[in-house]
Coordinates of all heavy atoms in Angstrom, one line a residue:
M1 N 130.2 100.2 99.1 CA 130.6 100.6 100.5 C 129.4 101.5 101.1 O 129.1 101.3 102.3 CB 131.9 101.5 100.4 CG 132.6 101.6 101.8 SD 133.1 100.0 102.3 CE 133.4 100.3 104.0
K2 N 128.8 102.3 100.4 CA 127.7 103.1 100.9 C 126.5 102.2 101.3 O 125.9 102.4 102.3 CB 127.3 104.1 99.8 CG 126.4 105.2 100.4 CD 126.0 106.2 99.4 CE 125.0 107.2 100.0 NZ 124.3 108.0 98.8
R3 N 126.4 101.2 100.5 CA 125.3 100.2 100.7 C 125.5 99.5 102.1 O 124.6 99.3 102.8 CB 125.3 99.1 99.6 CG 123.9 98.7 99.1 CD 124.1 97.6 98.1 NE 122.9 96.8 98.0 CZ 121.8 97.4 97.4 NH1 121.8 98.5 96.8 NH2 120.7 96.7 97.4
L4 N 126.7 99.1 102.3 CA 127.1 98.4 103.6 C 126.8 99.4 104.7 O 126.3 98.9 105.8 CB 128.6 98.0 103.5 CG 129.1 97.3 104.8 CD1 128.4 95.9 105.0 CD2 130.5 97.1 104.7
L5 N 127.1 100.6 104.6 CA 126.9 101.5 105.6 C 125.5 101.7 106.0 O 125.1 101.7 107.1 CB 127.6 102.9 105.3 CG 127.5 104.0 106.3 CD1 128.4 103.7 107.5 CD2 127.8 105.4 105.8
I6 N 124.7 101.8 104.9 CA 123.2 101.9 105.1 C 122.7 100.7 105.9 O 121.9 100.8 106.8 CB 122.5 102.1 103.8 CG1 122.8 103.5 103.3 CG2 120.9 102.0 103.9 CD1 122.5 103.8 101.8
A7 N 123.1 99.5 105.4 CA 122.7 98.2 106.1 C 123.1 98.2 107.5 O 122.3 97.8 108.4 CB 123.3 97.1 105.3
T8 N 124.3 98.7 107.8 CA 124.7 98.7 109.2 C 123.9 99.7 110.1 O 123.4 99.3 111.2 CB 126.2 99.2 109.3 OG1 127.0 98.4 108.4 CG2 126.7 99.1 110.6
V9 N 123.5 100.8 109.5 CA 122.7 101.8 110.2 C 121.3 101.2 110.5 O 120.8 101.3 111.6 CB 122.5 103.1 109.4 CG1 121.5 104.1 110.1 CG2 124.0 103.8 109.4
I10 N 120.7 100.6 109.5 CA 119.4 99.9 109.7 C 119.5 98.8 110.8 O 118.7 98.8 111.6 CB 118.9 99.4 108.3 CG1 118.6 100.5 107.4 CG2 117.7 98.5 108.6 CD1 118.3 100.1 106.0
A11 N 120.6 98.0 110.7 CA 120.7 96.9 111.7 C 120.9 97.5 113.1 O 120.2 97.0 114.0 CB 121.9 96.1 111.4
L12 N 121.6 98.6 113.3 CA 121.8 99.2 114.6 C 120.4 99.8 115.1 O 120.1 99.6 116.3 CB 122.8 100.4 114.5 CG 124.3 99.9 114.4 CD1 125.1 101.1 114.2 CD2 124.6 99.2 115.6
A13 N 119.7 100.4 114.2 CA 118.4 100.9 114.6 C 117.4 99.8 115.1 O 116.7 99.9 116.1 CB 117.7 101.6 113.5
A14 N 117.5 98.6 114.4 CA 116.6 97.5 114.8 C 117.0 97.0 116.1 O 116.2 96.7 116.9 CB 116.8 96.4 113.7
V15 N 118.3 96.9 116.3 CA 118.8 96.4 117.6 C 118.4 97.3 118.8 O 117.9 96.9 119.8 CB 120.4 96.4 117.6 CG1 120.9 96.2 119.0 CG2 120.8 95.2 116.8
A16 N 118.5 98.6 118.5 CA 118.0 99.6 119.6 C 116.6 99.4 120.0 O 116.3 99.6 121.1 CB 118.3 101.0 119.0
C17 N 115.8 99.1 118.9 CA 114.4 99.0 119.2 C 114.0 97.6 119.8 O 113.0 97.5 120.5 CB 113.5 99.2 118.0 SG 113.4 101.0 117.6
S18 N 114.7 96.6 119.5 CA 114.3 95.3 119.9 C 114.8 94.9 121.3 O 114.5 93.9 121.8 CB 114.7 94.2 118.9 OG 116.2 94.3 118.7
K19 N 115.8 95.7 121.8 CA 116.4 95.5 123.0 C 115.4 95.1 124.2 O 115.6 94.2 124.9 CB 117.2 96.8 123.4 CG 118.3 96.5 124.4 CD 119.3 97.7 124.5 CE 118.6 99.0 124.6 NZ 119.5 100.2 124.6
E20 N 114.3 95.9 124.2 CA 113.3 95.8 125.3 C 112.5 94.5 125.1 O 111.9 94.0 126.0 CB 112.4 97.0 125.4 CG 113.2 98.2 125.6 CD 113.8 98.4 127.0 OE1 113.5 97.6 127.8 OE2 114.6 99.3 127.1
T21 N 112.4 94.0 123.9 CA 111.5 92.9 123.6 C 112.2 91.5 123.6 O 111.5 90.5 123.5 CB 110.8 93.1 122.2 OG1 111.8 93.2 121.2 CG2 109.9 94.3 122.2
Q22 N 113.5 91.5 123.8 CA 114.2 90.2 123.7 C 113.8 89.2 124.8 O 113.9 88.0 124.6 CB 115.7 90.4 123.7 CG 116.2 90.7 122.3 CD 117.7 91.3 122.3 OE1 118.3 91.4 123.4 NE2 118.2 91.6 121.2
T23 N 113.4 89.8 126.0 CA 113.1 88.9 127.1 C 111.7 88.3 127.0 O 111.3 87.4 127.7 CB 113.2 89.7 128.4 OG1 112.5 90.9 128.2 CG2 114.7 90.0 128.7
T24 N 110.8 88.8 126.1 CA 109.5 88.3 126.0 C 109.5 87.1 125.1 O 110.4 86.8 124.4 CB 108.6 89.4 125.3 OG1 109.1 89.7 124.0 CG2 108.5 90.6 126.0
T25 N 108.5 86.3 125.2 CA 108.3 85.0 124.5 C 108.2 85.3 123.0 O 107.3 86.0 122.6 CB 107.0 84.3 125.0 OG1 106.7 84.8 126.2 CG2 107.4 82.8 125.1
P26 N 109.0 84.7 122.2 CA 109.0 84.9 120.8 C 107.9 84.1 120.1 O 107.5 84.4 118.9 CB 110.3 84.5 120.3 CG 110.8 83.6 121.3 CD 110.1 83.8 122.6
A27 N 107.3 83.2 120.8 CA 106.3 82.3 120.1 C 105.1 83.0 119.6 O 104.9 83.0 118.4 CB 105.9 81.2 121.1
A28 N 104.2 83.5 120.5 CA 103.0 84.1 120.1 C 103.2 85.4 119.4 O 104.0 86.2 119.9 CB 102.1 84.2 121.3
S29 N 102.4 85.7 118.5 CA 102.4 87.1 117.8 C 101.5 88.0 118.7 O 100.3 88.0 118.6 CB 101.8 86.9 116.4 OG 101.7 88.3 115.9
K30 N 102.2 88.7 119.6 CA 101.5 89.6 120.5 C 101.7 91.1 120.0 O 102.8 91.4 119.7 CB 102.0 89.4 121.9 CG 101.4 88.3 122.7 CD 101.6 88.5 124.1 CE 100.8 87.4 124.9 NZ 101.3 87.3 126.3
E31 N 100.6 91.7 120.0 CA 100.6 93.1 119.7 C 100.4 94.0 120.9 O 99.5 93.8 121.6 CB 99.6 93.5 118.6 CG 99.6 95.0 118.2 CD 98.8 95.3 117.0 OE1 98.6 94.4 116.2 OE2 98.2 96.4 117.0
K32 N 101.4 94.9 121.1 CA 101.3 95.8 122.2 C 101.2 97.2 121.7 O 101.8 97.5 120.6 CB 102.7 95.7 122.9 CG 102.7 96.1 124.3 CD 103.9 95.6 125.1 CE 105.2 95.8 124.4 NZ 106.4 95.6 125.2
T33 N 100.3 98.1 122.3 CA 100.2 99.4 121.8 C 100.4 100.4 123.0 O 100.2 100.0 124.1 CB 98.8 99.7 121.2 OG1 97.8 99.6 122.3 CG2 98.5 98.7 120.1
Y34 N 101.0 101.5 122.6 CA 101.2 102.6 123.6 C 101.4 103.9 123.0 O 101.7 104.0 121.8 CB 102.5 102.3 124.5 CG 103.7 102.0 123.7 CD1 104.6 103.0 123.3 CD2 104.1 100.6 123.4 CE1 105.7 102.7 122.6 CE2 105.2 100.3 122.7 CZ 106.0 101.3 122.3 OH 107.2 101.0 121.6
P35 N 101.0 105.0 123.7 CA 101.1 106.3 123.1 C 102.6 106.8 123.1 O 103.3 106.4 124.0 CB 100.2 107.2 124.0 CG 100.2 106.4 125.3 CD 100.4 105.0 125.0
M36 N 103.0 107.6 122.2 CA 104.3 108.1 122.1 C 104.3 109.6 121.7 O 103.5 109.9 120.7 CB 105.2 107.3 121.2 CG 106.6 107.7 121.1 SD 107.6 106.4 120.1 CE 107.2 107.0 118.5
T37 N 105.1 110.4 122.2 CA 105.2 111.7 121.9 C 106.5 111.9 121.0 O 107.5 111.4 121.3 CB 105.5 112.7 123.1 OG1 104.4 112.4 124.1 CG2 105.5 114.1 122.8
A38 N 106.3 112.6 119.9 CA 107.3 112.8 118.9 C 107.2 114.0 118.1 O 106.2 114.7 118.1 CB 107.3 111.5 117.9
T39 N 108.2 114.3 117.3 CA 108.1 115.4 116.3 C 108.3 114.8 114.9 O 109.2 113.9 114.7 CB 109.2 116.4 116.6 OG1 109.1 117.0 117.9 CG2 109.1 117.5 115.5
I40 N 107.4 115.1 114.0 CA 107.5 114.7 112.6 C 108.7 115.2 112.0 O 108.9 116.5 111.9 CB 106.3 115.0 111.8 CG1 105.0 114.3 112.4 CG2 106.4 114.5 110.3 CD1 103.7 114.7 111.7
V41 N 109.7 114.4 111.5 CA 110.9 114.9 110.9 C 110.7 114.9 109.4 O 111.0 115.9 108.7 CB 112.1 113.9 111.2 CG1 113.3 114.4 110.4 CG2 112.3 113.9 112.7
S42 N 110.2 113.8 108.8 CA 110.0 113.8 107.4 C 109.0 112.6 107.1 O 108.6 111.9 108.0 CB 111.3 113.6 106.6 OG 111.9 112.4 107.0
R43 N 108.7 112.5 105.8 CA 107.7 111.4 105.4 C 108.1 110.9 104.0 O 108.7 111.6 103.3 CB 106.3 111.9 105.5 CG 106.1 113.0 104.3 CD 104.8 113.8 104.7 NE 105.1 114.6 105.8 CZ 104.1 115.2 106.5 NH1 102.9 115.0 106.2 NH2 104.4 116.0 107.5
D44 N 107.6 109.7 103.8 CA 107.8 109.1 102.4 C 106.4 108.7 101.9 O 106.0 107.6 102.3 CB 108.8 107.9 102.4 CG 109.0 107.4 101.0 OD1 108.2 107.6 100.1 OD2 110.1 106.8 100.9
P45 N 105.7 109.5 101.1 CA 104.4 109.2 100.7 C 104.3 107.9 99.9 O 103.3 107.2 100.0 CB 104.0 110.4 99.9 CG 104.9 111.5 100.3 CD 106.1 110.8 100.7
A46 N 105.3 107.6 99.2 CA 105.3 106.4 98.3 C 105.3 105.2 99.2 O 104.6 104.2 98.9 CB 106.6 106.4 97.4
K47 N 106.1 105.1 100.2 CA 106.2 104.0 101.1 C 105.2 104.1 102.3 O 105.0 103.2 103.1 CB 107.6 103.8 101.7 CG 108.6 103.3 100.7 CD 109.9 102.8 101.3 CE 110.9 103.9 101.3 NZ 112.2 103.5 101.9
N48 N 104.6 105.3 102.4 CA 103.7 105.6 103.5 C 104.4 105.4 104.9 O 103.8 104.8 105.8 CB 102.4 104.9 103.5 CG 101.2 105.7 104.1 OD1 101.1 106.9 103.8 ND2 100.4 105.1 104.9
T49 N 105.6 106.0 104.9 CA 106.3 105.9 106.3 C 106.6 107.3 106.7 O 106.5 108.2 105.9 CB 107.7 105.1 106.1 OG1 108.5 105.9 105.1 CG2 107.6 103.7 105.7
V50 N 106.8 107.4 108.0 CA 107.0 108.7 108.7 C 108.2 108.6 109.5 O 108.4 107.6 110.3 CB 105.8 109.1 109.6 CG1 106.0 110.5 110.1 CG2 104.5 109.0 108.8
N51 N 109.2 109.6 109.4 CA 110.3 109.5 110.2 C 110.0 110.4 111.4 O 109.7 111.6 111.3 CB 111.5 110.1 109.5 CG 112.8 109.9 110.3 OD1 113.2 110.8 111.2 ND2 113.5 108.8 110.1
L52 N 110.1 109.9 112.7 CA 109.8 110.5 113.8 C 111.0 110.7 114.8 O 111.8 109.7 114.9 CB 108.7 109.7 114.7 CG 107.3 109.6 114.0 CD1 106.4 108.8 114.9 CD2 106.7 111.0 113.7
D53 N 111.1 111.8 115.4 CA 112.1 112.0 116.5 C 111.4 111.9 117.8 O 110.7 112.9 118.2 CB 112.7 113.5 116.3 CG 113.9 113.6 117.2 OD1 114.2 112.8 118.1 OD2 114.6 114.7 117.1
N54 N 111.4 110.6 118.3 CA 110.5 110.5 119.5 C 111.2 110.6 120.8 O 112.4 110.4 121.0 CB 109.8 109.1 119.4 CG 110.8 107.9 119.5 OD1 111.4 107.5 118.5 ND2 111.1 107.4 120.7
K55 N 110.4 110.9 121.9 CA 110.8 110.9 123.2 C 110.8 109.5 123.8 O 110.2 108.7 123.2 CB 109.8 111.8 124.1 CG 110.0 113.3 123.7 CD 109.3 114.2 124.7 CE 109.5 115.7 124.3 NZ 108.5 116.5 124.7
E56 N 111.5 109.4 124.9 CA 111.6 108.0 125.5 C 110.3 107.6 126.0 O 109.5 108.3 126.5 CB 112.6 108.0 126.6 CG 112.7 106.6 127.2 CD 113.6 106.6 128.5 OE1 114.0 107.7 128.9 OE2 113.7 105.5 129.1
V57 N 109.9 106.3 125.7 CA 108.7 105.7 126.3 C 109.3 104.6 127.3 O 109.8 103.6 126.8 CB 107.8 105.0 125.3 CG1 106.6 104.4 125.9 CG2 107.4 106.0 124.2
P58 N 109.4 105.0 128.6 CA 110.0 104.1 129.5 C 109.6 102.6 129.4 O 108.4 102.3 129.4 CB 109.6 104.7 130.9 CG 109.4 106.1 130.6 CD 108.7 106.1 129.2
G59 N 110.6 101.7 129.2 CA 110.3 100.3 129.2 C 110.0 99.8 127.8 O 109.9 98.6 127.6
E60 N 109.8 100.7 126.8 CA 109.4 100.4 125.5 C 110.2 100.8 124.4 O 110.6 100.0 123.5 CB 107.9 101.0 125.2 CG 106.9 100.5 126.2 CD 106.5 99.1 126.2 OE1 107.0 98.4 125.3 OE2 105.7 98.7 127.1
M61 N 110.6 102.1 124.5 CA 111.4 102.7 123.3 C 112.2 103.8 123.8 O 111.7 104.6 124.5 CB 110.4 103.1 122.3 CG 111.0 103.9 121.1 SD 111.4 102.9 119.7 CE 109.8 102.4 119.1
G62 N 113.5 103.8 123.4 CA 114.4 104.8 123.8 C 114.1 106.0 123.0 O 113.4 106.0 122.0
A63 N 114.6 107.2 123.4 CA 114.5 108.4 122.5 C 115.3 108.2 121.3 O 116.5 107.9 121.4 CB 115.0 109.6 123.3
M64 N 114.7 108.3 120.1 CA 115.5 108.1 118.9 C 114.7 108.6 117.7 O 113.6 109.0 117.8 CB 115.7 106.6 118.6 CG 114.5 105.8 118.4 SD 114.8 104.0 118.1 CE 115.0 103.5 119.8
K65 N 115.4 108.7 116.6 CA 114.8 109.1 115.3 C 114.7 107.8 114.5 O 115.7 107.2 114.2 CB 115.8 110.1 114.7 CG 115.0 111.2 114.0 CD 116.1 112.1 113.3 CE 116.4 113.3 114.1 NZ 117.3 114.3 113.3
M66 N 113.6 107.5 114.0 CA 113.4 106.3 113.2 C 112.2 106.4 112.3 O 111.3 107.2 112.5 CB 113.4 105.0 114.0 CG 112.3 104.8 114.9 SD 112.4 103.2 115.8 CE 111.4 102.1 114.9
D67 N 112.1 105.5 111.2 CA 111.1 105.4 110.3 C 110.0 104.5 110.8 O 110.3 103.4 111.3 CB 111.4 105.0 108.9 CG 112.2 106.0 108.2 OD1 111.8 107.2 108.2 OD2 113.3 105.7 107.5
Y68 N 108.8 104.9 110.7 CA 107.6 104.0 111.1 C 106.7 103.9 110.0 O 106.4 104.9 109.2 CB 106.8 104.7 112.3 CG 107.6 104.7 113.6 CD1 108.4 105.8 113.9 CD2 107.5 103.7 114.5 CE1 109.1 105.9 115.1 CE2 108.2 103.7 115.6 CZ 109.0 104.8 115.9 OH 109.6 104.9 117.1
E69 N 106.1 102.7 109.8 CA 105.1 102.5 108.7 C 103.8 103.1 109.3 O 103.5 103.0 110.5 CB 104.9 101.0 108.6 CG 103.8 100.6 107.6 CD 103.5 99.1 107.6 OE1 104.2 98.3 108.2 OE2 102.3 98.8 107.1
L70 N 103.1 103.9 108.5 CA 101.9 104.5 109.0 C 100.7 103.7 108.4 O 100.6 103.3 107.2 CB 101.8 105.9 108.4 CG 100.5 106.7 108.6 CD1 100.3 107.0 110.1 CD2 100.6 108.0 107.8
R71 N 99.8 103.4 109.3 CA 98.6 102.7 108.9 C 97.4 103.4 109.2 O 97.3 104.2 110.2 CB 98.5 101.3 109.6 CG 99.6 100.4 109.1 CD 99.3 98.9 109.5 NE 100.5 98.1 109.3 CZ 100.6 96.8 109.7 NH1 99.6 96.3 110.4 NH2 101.7 96.1 109.5
G72 N 96.3 103.3 108.4 CA 95.0 104.0 108.7 C 95.0 105.4 108.2 O 94.0 106.1 108.5
A73 N 96.1 105.9 107.6 CA 96.1 107.3 107.2 C 97.2 107.4 106.1 O 98.0 106.5 105.9 CB 96.4 108.3 108.3
K74 N 97.1 108.5 105.4 CA 98.1 108.8 104.3 C 99.2 109.7 104.9 O 98.8 110.7 105.5 CB 97.5 109.4 103.1 CG 96.7 108.4 102.3 CD 96.2 109.1 101.0 CE 95.3 108.0 100.3 NZ 94.5 108.7 99.3
A75 N 100.4 109.4 104.7 CA 101.6 110.2 105.1 C 101.4 111.6 104.7 O 101.7 112.6 105.4 CB 102.9 109.6 104.7
A76 N 100.9 111.8 103.5 CA 100.8 113.2 102.9 C 99.8 114.0 103.7 O 99.8 115.2 103.6 CB 100.4 113.1 101.4
D77 N 98.8 113.4 104.3 CA 97.8 114.1 105.0 C 98.1 114.5 106.4 O 97.3 115.1 107.2 CB 96.5 113.2 105.1 CG 95.9 113.0 103.6 OD1 96.2 113.8 102.7 OD2 95.2 112.0 103.5
L78 N 99.3 114.0 106.9 CA 99.7 114.3 108.4 C 100.1 115.8 108.5 O 100.3 116.5 107.5 CB 100.9 113.5 108.7 CG 100.6 112.0 108.8 CD1 101.9 111.3 109.3 CD2 99.5 111.6 109.7
P79 N 100.1 116.3 109.7 CA 100.5 117.6 110.0 C 101.9 117.9 109.4 O 102.7 116.9 109.1 CB 100.6 117.8 111.5 CG 99.7 116.7 112.0 CD 99.7 115.6 111.0
A80 N 102.3 119.1 109.1 CA 103.6 119.4 108.5 C 104.7 118.9 109.3 O 104.7 118.7 110.5 CB 103.7 120.9 108.4
D81 N 105.9 118.7 108.5 CA 107.2 118.3 109.2 C 107.5 119.3 110.2 O 107.3 120.5 110.0 CB 108.2 118.1 108.2 CG 108.0 117.0 107.2 OD1 107.0 116.2 107.4 OD2 108.7 117.0 106.1
G82 N 108.0 118.9 111.4 CA 108.3 119.8 112.5 C 107.2 119.9 113.5 O 107.4 120.5 114.5
T83 N 106.0 119.4 113.2 CA 104.9 119.4 114.1 C 105.1 118.4 115.3 O 105.3 117.2 115.0 CB 103.5 119.1 113.4 OG1 103.4 120.0 112.3 CG2 102.4 119.2 114.4
P84 N 104.9 118.9 116.5 CA 104.9 117.8 117.7 C 103.6 117.1 117.7 O 102.5 117.7 117.6 CB 105.0 118.8 118.9 CG 105.3 120.2 118.4 CD 104.8 120.2 117.0
V85 N 103.7 115.8 117.8 CA 102.5 114.9 117.7 C 102.5 113.9 118.8 O 103.5 113.6 119.4 CB 102.4 114.2 116.3 CG1 102.1 115.2 115.2 CG2 103.6 113.4 116.0
V86 N 101.3 113.3 119.0 CA 101.2 112.1 119.8 C 100.7 111.0 118.8 O 99.8 111.2 118.1 CB 100.2 112.3 120.9 CG1 100.0 111.0 121.8 CG2 100.7 113.4 121.9
V87 N 101.3 109.8 118.9 CA 101.0 108.7 118.0 C 100.7 107.5 118.8 O 101.1 107.4 120.0 CB 102.1 108.4 117.0 CG1 102.5 109.7 116.2 CG2 103.3 107.8 117.6
T88 N 100.0 106.5 118.2 CA 99.9 105.2 118.9 C 100.9 104.3 118.2 O 100.9 104.2 117.0 CB 98.4 104.7 118.8 OG1 97.6 105.6 119.4 CG2 98.3 103.3 119.4
V89 N 101.8 103.7 119.0 CA 102.7 102.8 118.5 C 102.2 101.3 118.6 O 101.7 101.0 119.7 CB 104.1 102.8 119.3 CG1 105.1 101.8 118.7 CG2 104.7 104.3 119.1
H90 N 102.3 100.6 117.6 CA 101.9 99.2 117.6 C 103.2 98.3 117.5 O 103.9 98.5 116.5 CB 100.9 98.8 116.5 CG 99.7 99.6 116.5 ND1 98.5 99.0 116.8 CD2 99.4 100.9 116.3 CE1 97.5 99.9 116.8 NE2 98.0 101.1 116.4
D91 N 103.4 97.5 118.6 CA 104.6 96.8 118.6 C 104.2 95.3 118.4 O 103.6 94.7 119.3 CB 105.3 97.0 119.9 CG 106.5 96.0 120.2 OD1 106.7 95.1 119.3 OD2 107.2 96.2 121.2
V92 N 104.5 94.8 117.2 CA 104.2 93.4 117.0 C 105.5 92.5 117.0 O 106.2 92.5 116.0 CB 103.4 93.2 115.7 CG1 103.0 91.7 115.5 CG2 102.2 94.1 115.6
N93 N 105.7 91.9 118.1 CA 107.0 91.2 118.3 C 108.3 91.9 117.8 O 109.1 91.4 117.1 CB 106.9 89.9 117.5 CG 105.9 88.9 118.2 OD1 105.7 88.9 119.4 ND2 105.3 88.1 117.4
G94 N 108.3 93.2 118.1 CA 109.5 94.0 117.8 C 109.4 94.7 116.4 O 110.4 95.3 116.0
S95 N 108.4 94.5 115.7 CA 108.2 95.3 114.5 C 107.2 96.3 114.7 O 106.1 96.0 115.3 CB 108.1 94.4 113.2 OG 106.8 93.9 113.1
Y96 N 107.4 97.5 114.2 CA 106.5 98.6 114.6 C 105.8 99.2 113.5 O 106.2 99.3 112.4 CB 107.4 99.7 115.2 CG 108.2 99.2 116.4 CD1 109.5 98.6 116.3 CD2 107.7 99.5 117.7 CE1 110.2 98.2 117.4 CE2 108.4 99.0 118.8 CZ 109.6 98.4 118.6 OH 110.4 98.0 119.7
Y97 N 104.6 99.7 113.8 CA 103.9 100.6 113.0 C 103.1 101.6 113.8 O 103.0 101.4 115.0 CB 102.9 99.9 111.9 CG 101.8 99.1 112.5 CD1 100.5 99.8 112.6 CD2 101.8 97.9 112.9 CE1 99.4 99.1 113.1 CE2 100.8 97.2 113.4 CZ 99.5 97.8 113.5 OH 98.4 97.2 113.9
I98 N 102.6 102.7 113.2 CA 101.9 103.7 114.0 C 100.6 104.0 113.4 O 100.3 103.8 112.2 CB 102.8 105.0 114.2 CG1 103.0 105.6 112.8 CG2 104.0 104.8 115.0 CD1 103.6 107.0 112.8
T99 N 99.7 104.5 114.3 CA 98.4 104.9 113.9 C 98.0 106.2 114.7 O 98.8 106.5 115.6 CB 97.2 103.8 114.2 OG1 97.2 103.6 115.6 CG2 97.5 102.6 113.4
D100 N 96.9 106.8 114.4 CA 96.4 107.9 115.2 C 97.4 109.0 115.4 O 97.7 109.3 116.6 CB 95.8 107.4 116.5 CG 94.6 106.6 116.4 OD1 93.7 106.9 115.5 OD2 94.5 105.5 117.1
V101 N 98.0 109.6 114.4 CA 98.9 110.7 114.5 C 98.1 112.0 114.7 O 97.4 112.4 113.9 CB 99.8 110.8 113.3 CG1 100.8 112.0 113.4 CG2 100.5 109.5 113.0
K102 N 98.2 112.6 115.9 CA 97.5 113.8 116.3 C 98.5 114.9 116.8 O 99.4 114.6 117.5 CB 96.6 113.5 117.4 CG 95.5 112.4 116.9 CD 94.3 112.4 117.9 CE 93.2 111.5 117.4 NZ 93.1 110.3 118.3
P103 N 98.2 116.1 116.3 CA 99.0 117.2 116.9 C 98.9 117.2 118.4 O 97.9 117.0 118.9 CB 98.4 118.5 116.2 CG 97.5 117.9 115.1 CD 97.1 116.6 115.4
Q104 N 100.1 117.5 119.0 CA 100.1 117.6 120.4 C 99.4 118.8 121.0 O 99.5 119.9 120.4 CB 101.6 117.6 120.9 CG 101.8 117.1 122.2 CD 103.3 117.3 122.6 OE1 104.2 117.2 121.7 NE2 103.6 117.4 123.9
K105 N 98.6 118.7 122.1 CA 97.9 119.8 122.6 C 98.7 120.5 123.7 O 99.6 119.9 124.3 CB 96.6 119.2 123.2 CG 95.6 119.1 122.1 CD 94.3 118.4 122.6 CE 93.5 117.9 121.5 NZ 92.8 116.6 121.9
Ligands
CU201 CU1 112.8 103.3 117.9

């Protein structure tokens, strides 16, 4: 039962994020990047993912808390949990990863 609940939560998060991309052409693998302001909630050094509580990026991403795959850096080397940061979001046909995590000025 717990497993089902987790799967449902993940499915809901995916729906929330893909909402804006459904109208785009699914054929070509297009990568879109944009800056996003967020606070680091937690991290998983084993999977190299970071959980961010992000502000809305109009037209791209609603304000939400979600896990992002981190590329080009180690999750363990990022600023401490609770630090406000600016990251670059890479949206590849609705699947996301982040780079350039910098403390907010
Ligand atoms: Cu999201």
Side-chain angles (χ1 to χ4, degrees):
M1 199 60 197
K2 198 181 173 190
R3 220 185 159 78
L4 179 66
L5 181 68
I6 289 166
T8 307
V9 169
I10 290 169
L12 284 175
V15 165
C17 282
S18 59
K19 202 164 45 183
E20 305 289 348
T21 56
Q22 276 169 1
T23 51
T24 60
T25 342
S29 172
K30 272 199 178 162
E31 180 170 326
K32 199 164 51 168
T33 64
Y34 49 88
M36 183 173 81
T37 303
T39 299
I40 298 178
V41 177
S42 61
R43 69 199 68 200
D44 184 335
K47 287 194 261 179
N48 212 43
T49 58
V50 187
N51 190 274
L52 297 179
D53 187 352
N54 66 272
K55 291 192 176 155
E56 183 188 0
V57 182
E60 303 293 354
M61 174 89 68
M64 69 180 78
K65 218 186 260 188
M66 67 182 263
D67 286 318
Y68 293 89
E69 180 193 343
L70 175 66
R71 293 194 190 171
K74 286 182 182 166
D77 295 339
L78 295 183
D81 294 349
T83 304
V85 292
V86 177
V87 309
T88 299
V89 178
H90 298 251
D91 172 357
V92 185
N93 291 330
S95 76
Y96 300 86
Y97 68 90
I98 58 167
T99 59
D100 294 316
V101 179
K102 296 192 176 112
Q104 204 182 330
K105 282 173 192 145

